[in-house]
Amino acid sequence: MATPEPSQRPARNGSRRNPKAANAAALLFTWGSLAMVLVAGLLLLHVFQEDVEPYVGYYILAVSGTAVLFIYLTVALRKERIIPVQGRVPIVIWTCIVLAAGLAGTIIASPKIAAENMATSPRLTWIDGQDPSTSITISWITTFPEATHVLYSTNRWTLDHASTDGPATLFHHVTLSGLAPNQTYYYQVPGHPVKQFKTAPVGQFNYTFYAWSDHRTNTDILSSYTQPNAVASIASYAATTGVPGAFTIFTGDMTSKANDYMSWKAFFDDIAYQDWTSNKSLAIAYGNHERYGDAEKSIVKNYFPYPQKADTNFFYSFDYGGVHFIMLDPYLEGHSWASNFTTTQLAWLEADLAAHQDANFTLIFMHPPPSSLTGVRGELIKLVNVGGYRIDMAFCGHQHVFERRTIASTPPIDVLVLGLGGNPNNEYKSNACDTAFARFDVTTTAITVTSIFINGTILDSFTIAA
């Protein structure tokens, strides 16, 4: 008996497939799977990145959807067949595989792309020499380049003053000047609700501020989910005790590395807790992690308004209620590790101390402990012993410990190392609580410094007399 020609063989099901029906079914499955990717991706984006501008999500989903369509059309529909791989894998299973791949790509890619295109809430600070009683600087990031402005007034309902930002950019820094001392102001940047701040009184007065270092985003993005947010804890403590604090200082290591945008976004989200840094200033001293992967320091230069000096570092000072605050950045030019002051920074520091000898107190804030850096320690001793300048204490982090130290100048400089701002790799990681901050209570005659675990337990307290 003759074997029929291949073209004459009957189909296994007793009939041949209809090519038009096959193509129609294939297109139905293709566009159906694409729609499922879009819907599921939007839901995931809403859950995990709900504050991100919508176009970012559409971009991600368009890419993943196109990939699904391309794979399906090139593999499943080759030779006008809807059963790929020689008929062994049913089309529904193949569609599910492709759909799962598209969703996995969306889940993995969306947070990173969203972070790289993040928009942030406005945050307040002071730059070099700015007078907190008459001026303030507002910074924020937009998803698209904009030439924008800040509206402000002492009346929340009539924001009749404006300060412009300049050319279109993603990174906005607007300084408000000519403000009245000890006055509440309301302000608004486009796309955000009205915020508020209060200028400092003139002269000497009693007040409290808070400080912390080495935030939970210092290690990696996972710590943002496993470790407590120090800013939320400070805000809760301030509300519970009825001591809101005039401002906050952070001494570095905001991110795991400069180009880790997911950590940056997590940090900006953390400090925006209950408008904490939208309603009161946050002064920052940079750490070593902000330099990793960014030798030019362009990222921090974009994100924050602090002027970059001739040695490429960032250092500045301001006065608040009889206290002179110095924010130092003791990193060698072009390096991400501390060693000593550059000649530029040392000359600036001596001139700054000389210009503020009438301050009741002088406090230094920096990331690495000066007591651990031979060069920095030696220069500070020389400034006190030889120059005759007063430096009361230094607050720092970098080392994930709590320690009280002393620099043996005459008189000595107190050093508080409190690198417990949420980083999980610290000496208290086996405790029930391993995150801490410092409270500074300032009067005209003394400063009391209290180190506090976020559960309210007091680690240490000491007083500096004027």
Side-chain angles (χ1 to χ4, degrees):
M1 181 176 178
T3 303
E5 294 296 324
S7 60
Q8 297 176 342
R9 288 180 182 175
R12 290 187 180 183
N13 296 332
S15 63
R16 295 176 59 113
R17 292 187 178 275
N18 186 327
K20 292 184 178 180
N23 287 344
L27 287 175
L28 178 63
F29 277 113
T30 297
W31 290 110
S33 62
L34 177 58
M36 291 169 66
V37 169
L38 291 172
V39 172
L42 284 172
L43 289 173
L44 288 167
L45 197 68
H46 177 74
V47 170
F48 295 110
Q49 301 290 331
E50 61 182 358
D51 59 336
V52 177
E53 296 295 333
Y55 98 94
V56 177
Y58 297 142
Y59 170 75
I60 298 164
L61 296 170
V63 172
S64 61
T66 302
V68 170
L69 183 61
F70 177 78
I71 293 172
Y72 197 94
L73 289 177
T74 56
V75 179
L77 298 182
R78 75 184 189 280
K79 298 181 180 180
E80 298 184 347
R81 294 179 181 269
I82 63 170
I83 303 179
V85 195
Q86 299 181 354
R88 296 177 183 175
V89 182
I91 187 170
V92 175
I93 296 177
W94 180 256
T95 301
C96 290
I97 292 173
V98 176
L99 177 59
L103 287 176
T106 302
I107 294 170
I108 294 170
S110 63
K112 184 176 187 302
I113 297 177
E116 291 175 353
N117 295 275
M118 65 181 162
T120 68
S121 297
R123 55 192 184 279
L124 307 173
T125 194
W126 301 297
I127 57 178
D128 197 11
Q130 200 167 5
D131 183 354
S133 65
T134 61
S135 181
I136 203 162
T137 297
I138 305 169
S139 298
W140 72 101
I141 302 172
T142 52
T143 302
F144 298 103
E146 298 177 13
T148 185
H149 59 274
V150 175
L151 300 177
Y152 66 101
S153 173
T154 56
N155 185 332
R156 182 185 183 90
W157 311 110
T158 308
L159 303 179
D160 53 2
H161 292 73
S163 184
T164 57
D165 184 31
T169 180
L170 297 171
F171 312 106
H172 307 278
H173 309 290
V174 175
T175 295
L176 308 185
S177 302
L179 306 177
N182 200 29
Q183 174 68 54
T184 297
Y185 281 85
Y186 300 91
Y187 74 96
Q188 185 175 33
V189 303
H192 293 272
V194 174
K195 315 290 184 180
Q196 68 183 69
F197 64 88
K198 187 174 184 179
T199 53
V202 174
Q204 300 179 17
F205 50 91
N206 299 343
Y207 63 95
T208 295
F209 70 93
Y210 298 99
W212 90 105
S213 186
D214 297 83
H215 196 63
R216 65 179 178 174
T217 48
N218 170 210
T219 302
D220 53 47
I221 189 62
L222 293 179
S223 296
S224 299
Y225 302 99
T226 60
Q227 289 293 108
N229 176 10
V231 174
S233 299
I234 293 172
S236 176
Y237 172 88
T240 301
T241 59
V243 184
F247 56 91
T248 315
I249 294 178
F250 177 72
T251 57
D253 280 7
M254 295 167 267
T255 179
S256 64
K257 54 186 176 181
N259 55 3
D260 182 355
Y261 296 102
M262 292 177 67
S263 289
W264 275 117
K265 184 181 185 307
F267 177 79
F268 286 129
D269 288 346
D270 279 356
I271 65 175
Y273 178 82
Q274 294 185 351
D275 285 338
W276 184 261
T277 53
S278 294
N279 293 341
K280 59 187 69 182
S281 282
L282 170 66
I284 291 177
Y286 294 143
N288 54 296
H289 280 255
E290 284 82 72
R291 291 166 160 80
Y292 292 161
D294 184 21
E296 301 300 320
K297 306 167 191 172
S298 58
I299 295 174
V300 290
K301 187 167 59 176
N302 286 332
Y303 286 175
F304 301 98
Y306 311 120
Q308 190 173 25
K309 303 299 174 63
D311 63 353
T312 74
N313 287 344
F314 303 83
F315 42 90
Y316 60 101
S317 66
F318 61 91
D319 295 312
Y320 197 101
V323 180
H324 185 56
F325 294 84
I326 302 176
M327 317 297 288
L328 294 179
D329 193 25
Y331 291 83
L332 297 180
E333 186 172 353
H335 290 268
S336 61
W337 204 252
S339 176
N340 200 351
F341 297 120
T342 60
T343 55
T344 300
Q345 187 165 185
L346 185 59
W348 174 89
L349 175 58
E350 183 164 11
D352 185 79
L353 288 168
H356 297 88
Q357 295 187 75
D358 59 343
N360 286 350
F361 303 93
T362 297
L363 307 181
I364 286 177
F365 292 82
M366 55 191 286
H367 182 63
S371 51
S372 300
L373 303 173
T374 303
V376 171
R377 183 175 66 247
E379 295 295 351
L380 293 180
I381 290 174
K382 190 184 302 182
L383 287 169
V384 174
N385 290 357
V386 179
Y389 303 113
R390 174 173 178 167
I391 302 174
D392 294 285
M393 76 160 289
F395 177 90
C396 49
H398 184 62
Q399 298 171 0
H400 302 159
V401 300
F402 158 74
E403 286 185 14
R404 283 263 309 280
R405 303 173 184 172
T406 301
I407 293 178
S409 55
T410 306
I413 302 172
D414 288 307
V415 177
L416 174 57
V417 183
L418 194 63
L420 302 177
N423 189 297
N425 303 318
N426 65 70
E427 67 174 353
Y428 292 98
K429 62 184 178 182
S430 60
N431 288 18
C433 183
D434 65 354
T435 301
F437 60 91
R439 168 179 168 171
F440 290 73
D441 295 301
V442 181
T443 71
T444 57
T445 59
I447 298 179
T448 299
V449 185
T450 307
S451 300
I452 308 168
F453 276 128
I454 60 172
N455 64 4
T457 302
I458 293 178
L459 263 169
D460 176 70
S461 184
F462 66 97
T463 298
I464 304 168

